[in-house]
Amino acid sequence: MEKPSESRNGHVQSGALARPEAAAGRGPVRRRGCGRCLRKHCLVILTVAGVLLGVALGAALRGAHLSRARVAALAFPGELLLRMLRMVILPLVVCSLVSGAASLDTRALGKLGGIAVAYFMGTTLVASSLAVALAFIIRPGAGAQALNTNALGLADALPAGKETLDSFLDLFRNLFPSNLVVAAFRTYATDYKIIARNISIGNVTFEKIPIGTEIEGMNILGLVLFALVLGVALKKLGPEGEELIRFFNSFNEATMVLVSWIMWYVPIGITFLVGSKIVEMEDIVLLVTSLGKYIFASILGHVIHGGIILPLVYFAFTRKNPFSFLLGLITPLATAFATCSSSATLPSMIKCIEENNGVDKRISRFILPIGATVNMDGAAIFQCVAAVFIAQLNNVDLNAGQIFTILVTATAASVGAAGVPAGGVLTIAIILEAIGLPTNDLSLILAVDWIVDRTTTVVNVEGDALGAGILHYLNQKEMNAKEELNEVNVEAIPNCKSEEETSPLVTHRNQVPTPASTAEAESKESVL
C-alpha cells in the first residue's frame, strides 16, 4: 500500500506538503484582508452608524420633554459640524474653480461646460415632469382642505412674497456682484416698500415700490462666475499667470487636507444633528397623518429619480454599473441626509469622488461646485409636488399653460435656489406667484420640510456626482481616442526600404530620399 505522501515512483508529492501550509496561512491572510477592508471603509461605517445612533437617540429622548435650551445644547455638536463645513466652502469653491478652469484649455472648458449645463438642465426638467405626474396621480391635496396651519405651529414663518420678474432679475444681479468681499457673506434680494399715493378724502392708492436690499447668505452664484472667469484669464496670461495658478492649486490642496480632518468629526456631528431634529418636532404623528400623501409623493419622486432615472442616465453614457459608483459616495450622501445642505456636503463629495471613484481632479473640482449651485433635481421634485399640492388644496384645476409654467419655472428657479436647509421653500413662492396661487399655505410645506429636505439634498448631490462621473468618462474616452489616433499616425510612417509592406491607400507625404534609397533605386534600374 502506497503512503499518501509519496508518489508511485517513491518521490514525495509537493502538493501534499503544501496543502497544510496553505490552509494554515489562509487564516492570517483573511484576517489581514478584513482588517484592511475595515480600515478602508471605517469612515463610511462610522457615518452610517452615526445616522442610526442619532435616530435611536432622538426616539429615546422624545419622552423626556426637553426644554428648548436643552434641545439647543443637544444640537451643539451638530452645529459645530455645520460651522466647520461652511467655513471651508468659500476657499474650496473659489480655489477649486480657479484651478480647474486654469487647468483646462478654452475648447475643453467650453465643451465640458456645455455638456454639464445640458445634463443639469435636462435632468432637472425630467425631475420636474416626474413630480407633476406623481402629484396628479397621488393627489396629495385632495381631502386636505380642513388642515389647520396654526396647529402645526409654523403659521408665522411664511416667506415674504416676491414678484416673479424680480426673482429672476435678482438671479442675474447676483451673477455680477458689485463687491466680492460682500458677496462672501451677503446676497442681493429685492424687497418692497408700500407708499400711499393720491391721498384724498376717502380715496387712498397704495403703490408697491421695489427696493434693493442685502440679506444674510453667501452669494455663491457670483463667486462661481468670478472664479471661472478668473481661471480662464489666468490661463490666457500664459507664463505670467502660472505663479497665481500654483497659489490657487496649493490653497486648494491645503483646503482638502482640512476637509479630510473635518470628515472624521462627521459621524459625531451627524448623530446629534439627527437626534436633536427628532426631539425638536412636537407632534410627528400629526404631521405624518395630515400631510402623509404629500410626504409620500415627494419621497417617492426622489426614490424614482435618484434610484432609477439618474442611474439609467449614467449607465446610458458610460455602460458602467452606477451603483458601484455610488457605493464609494456613502459618506457624502449620509452627510447630505444629516445636514440638508448641498453646499455643506461639497467638501466631502470632492474628497470621496476623487479618492474612491478615481474621478479626475480637473473634472471634479470644476463640475461639483457648479453642480452644488445650479443642479437641484431633488428640489425641483418637491417644489413641483408642493405647487400641485397647494393648487389641489385650494380646489384650483391647473390647465396646460399653468403646468408648463410650473415645469419651466421650477427648472429655472432651481438654479438660484440656495444650497442651505429649507432653501427650496423660498423658490416655491416664485412658482406659486407665477401660476397665480396664494402663498399662505406655505406654512404646511415648512412644517414637513425637515423630513422632505433630507431626501431632496441626497438626490441633489447624487445628481452632481453622477454628472461628474459622466464627464470624467467622456473626457477619458476623448483622450484615449486621441492617443489611438496618434498611434495610428506613428504606425503609418512609410518604410522606404520595403514600400510594398505599407498600405497603398496611405499617402506618404514629405518623404526625403536618403542616399541608400537612391542607390537602391539606381541598382534596380541597372538590373532592369
Side-chain angles (χ1 to χ4, degrees):
M1 184 177 179
E2 295 180 354
K3 295 181 180 180
S5 61
E6 293 182 359
S7 63
R8 293 181 179 177
N9 57 5
H11 294 285
V12 178
Q13 295 180 357
S14 59
L17 295 177
R19 289 193 192 98
E21 295 176 358
R26 283 176 191 157
V29 170
R30 288 179 179 175
R31 284 194 294 270
R32 285 196 298 269
C34 293
R36 193 180 303 112
C37 181
L38 288 176
R39 285 193 299 270
K40 182 179 179 181
H41 303 287
C42 178
L43 185 59
V44 175
I45 296 173
L46 290 176
T47 304
V48 175
V51 174
L52 298 178
L53 184 60
V55 173
L57 178 66
L61 293 179
R62 278 191 61 81
H65 303 290
L66 300 179
S67 63
R68 290 187 177 272
R70 292 183 177 180
V71 172
L74 179 65
F76 177 71
E79 181 186 354
L80 289 182
L81 173 64
L82 289 176
R83 297 177 71 89
M84 286 189 288
L85 290 174
R86 289 168 181 165
M87 174 185 65
V88 297
I89 288 175
L90 177 62
L92 186 65
V93 168
V94 174
C95 296
S96 62
L97 281 175
V98 170
S99 59
S103 63
L104 299 169
D105 60 354
T106 308
R107 289 185 58 190
L109 184 65
K111 186 175 181 179
L112 289 176
I115 296 174
V117 170
Y119 168 79
F120 291 154
M121 293 295 102
T123 54
T124 304
L125 185 59
V126 170
S128 302
S129 305
L130 171 66
V132 171
L134 286 176
F136 275 101
I137 293 173
I138 298 175
R139 298 186 59 81
Q145 289 80 6
L147 285 178
N148 186 8
T149 58
N150 294 324
L152 300 176
L154 287 171
D156 299 330
L158 296 176
K162 185 187 290 188
E163 298 291 336
T164 305
L165 177 61
D166 291 329
S167 300
F168 286 102
L169 290 179
D170 288 346
L171 178 64
F172 287 100
R173 290 188 183 107
N174 285 319
L175 280 173
F176 305 97
S178 59
N179 191 324
L180 284 176
V181 178
V182 176
F185 52 88
R186 298 192 73 81
T187 304
Y188 184 92
T190 299
D191 200 356
Y192 299 96
K193 183 179 181 181
I194 306 298
I195 297 179
R197 298 283 189 184
N198 301 326
I199 301 177
S200 60
I201 300 175
N203 185 16
V204 179
T205 302
F206 294 98
E207 183 180 358
K208 186 168 67 172
I209 299 177
I211 57 175
T213 58
E214 300 283 344
I215 62 175
E216 191 71 25
M218 185 187 304
N219 182 6
I220 194 71
L221 280 176
L223 295 175
V224 164
L225 182 61
F226 172 77
L228 285 175
V229 175
L230 180 61
V232 175
L234 291 176
K235 181 73 173 179
K236 288 291 185 182
L237 283 178
E240 296 180 0
E242 290 180 357
E243 292 293 334
L244 198 53
I245 292 174
R246 281 197 291 268
F247 165 77
F248 280 108
N249 287 334
S250 301
F251 203 155
N252 195 19
E253 295 298 332
T255 306
M256 292 307 299
V257 173
L258 293 178
V259 170
S260 65
W261 294 345
I262 295 174
M263 292 303 297
W264 289 104
Y265 182 73
V266 167
I268 300 175
I270 283 180
T271 300
F272 291 94
L273 274 177
V274 175
S276 62
K277 182 57 68 174
I278 292 177
V279 173
E280 186 179 354
M281 297 309 299
E282 295 180 358
D283 196 345
I284 299 178
V285 177
L286 174 63
L287 292 178
V288 173
T289 53
S290 302
L291 302 171
K293 293 175 70 176
Y294 163 72
I295 298 173
F296 173 73
S298 300
I299 295 180
L300 179 62
H302 293 151
V303 170
I304 294 175
H305 189 73
I308 299 176
I309 296 177
L310 288 178
L312 282 178
V313 172
Y314 178 84
F315 177 78
F317 277 96
T318 64
R319 293 295 188 272
K320 295 181 180 179
N321 187 358
F323 298 104
S324 62
F325 183 87
L326 294 174
L327 194 61
L329 305 175
I330 293 180
T331 299
L333 294 179
T335 305
F337 181 83
T339 61
C340 299
S341 173
S342 301
S343 301
T345 312
L346 180 61
S348 62
M349 177 61 74
I350 292 178
K351 175 180 171 58
C352 292
I353 203 172
E354 291 175 359
E355 295 182 357
N356 299 341
N357 294 336
V359 174
D360 191 352
K361 291 182 179 180
R362 297 175 300 173
I363 303 295
S364 63
R365 299 181 187 187
F366 170 69
I367 294 300
L368 290 179
I370 299 176
T373 308
V374 302
N375 186 35
M376 299 289 176
D377 294 355
I381 289 175
F382 102 89
Q383 289 163 9
C384 292
V385 172
V388 179
F389 165 72
I390 292 176
Q392 295 171 353
L393 201 64
N394 292 274
N395 294 321
V396 175
D397 293 328
L398 297 174
N399 54 35
Q402 290 174 315
I403 294 174
F404 179 77
T405 303
I406 291 176
L407 295 178
V408 175
T409 308
T411 304
S414 64
V415 175
V420 296
V425 176
L426 301 178
T427 312
I428 301 178
I430 301 175
I431 302 175
L432 295 178
E433 291 285 347
I435 59 177
L437 288 178
T439 59
N440 298 330
D441 295 322
L442 276 180
S443 57
L444 299 174
I445 308 301
L446 284 169
V448 295
D449 182 69
W450 70 277
I451 301 175
V452 179
D453 202 17
R454 300 186 183 279
T455 55
T456 297
T457 311
V458 171
V459 175
N460 288 342
V461 300
E462 179 192 356
D464 300 342
L466 291 177
I470 291 172
L471 289 175
H472 172 73
Y473 173 80
L474 295 177
N475 186 54
Q476 291 292 112
K477 184 178 180 181
E478 185 176 357
M479 291 175 61
N480 294 335
K482 288 182 179 180
E483 291 178 358
E484 291 177 1
L485 182 60
N486 292 334
E487 291 177 1
V488 170
N489 291 335
V490 170
E491 292 174 357
I493 293 177
N495 188 351
C496 297
K497 293 184 178 180
S498 56
E499 292 185 357
E500 67 274 10
E501 295 180 2
T502 59
S503 174
L505 300 178
V506 177
T507 303
H508 307 300
R509 298 178 180 178
N510 300 329
Q511 297 182 18
V512 180
T514 59
S517 61
T518 306
E520 187 177 353
E522 292 177 354
S523 63
K524 289 181 180 179
E525 291 177 0
S526 62
V527 170
L528 293 174

